Amino acid sequence: MISYDLSDYYIEPLKNLNQNIKFQIASKDELAINQSKSLIKSPISFDEYKKKFDYIQEQILFGNSYLLNLTAKTEIETPLDLDEIYEKANAKFKLKYKDEFVCFSPERFVKIKKDKIYTYPMKGTIDASIANASAKILGDMKEMAEHTMVVDLLRNDLGIVAKKVRVEKFRYIDEIDAGDKKLLQVSSKISGELENNWNEKLGDILISLLPAGSITGTPKKKTVEILEKIEGYDRGYYTGVFGIFDGKSLDSSVMIRFIEKDKDGKLFYKSGGGITCDSDAYLEYQELLDKIYIPS
């Protein structure tokens, strides 16, 4: 487990794993059925979000970035504790770390198998109830540009550690049930070839790819600096990565869909979305709120 800014990490053989840590990697139950209704949100105001959004638009106008994944933390109330949330949440990747946070992520970070590395960037969400939702999001030029930039960024990232990098599938649709609404999520599949001794340099490979491009933006270095200045909170392990390495293969996830408990026992849900020059502030704010749910 590695935090967003690489300042924190947890590495442990599974046989020594703390009993207060639970995980699930690449579950077959990828799609949720219902949403927990017992979740009250107290998000930042739209005006506060708009100030951050406008600052990001200025940075895009100045040419400092082209895509930025703006996130925020929202205080939530629920009768469920972290263990109950973990057990209730239905997601491809799940992690409950002690009494500090729980994550139920639909997004893989990288998978390594038989000397090949794969990544699956997710970028672009739409309410499935909208007429012709799939065609609309795939035909939306803003969404196309945003997704293309992330794919290009991650293709270049893989090029740092792998050869023969290629986009195997571009912009395919996954359906995620967010309870009171179904969401369509757009993903792509990128692959590359590693040297056969890649397992001897796994740490270098991961550090070269972090933080994940799908939750930062492009160009990555400058975008991370802008986000650090404007987000106004510490992401911590949110948007970091966790995974399992068995000596022959690796599977890992980006830690999105994330609930954290603070020192006072309050719960905060961290969420966000990608911003480009064509983004609409209200729609992006709504997407941030739409992602605050417990898939069960």
Side-chain angles (χ1 to χ4, degrees), residues 51-65:
K51 289 176 183 177
K52 300 176 187 293
F53 178 90
D54 289 344
Y55 175 80
I56 281 178
Q57 289 298 333
E58 287 180 2
Q59 295 300 310
I60 294 174
L61 184 63
F62 296 153
N64 293 327
S65 183

Side-chain angles (χ1 to χ4, degrees), residues 30-62:
E30 297 183 35
L31 301 181
I33 301 170
N34 298 300
Q35 177 190 16
S36 169
K37 302 296 184 182
S38 53
L39 193 154
I40 301 171
K41 311 172 188 179
S42 300
I44 64 171
S45 68
F46 174 70
D47 288 343
E48 186 178 350
Y49 180 84
K50 182 72 161 46
K51 289 176 183 177
K52 300 176 187 293
F53 178 90
D54 289 344
Y55 175 80
I56 281 178
Q57 289 298 333
E58 287 180 2
Q59 295 300 310
I60 294 174
L61 184 63
F62 296 153

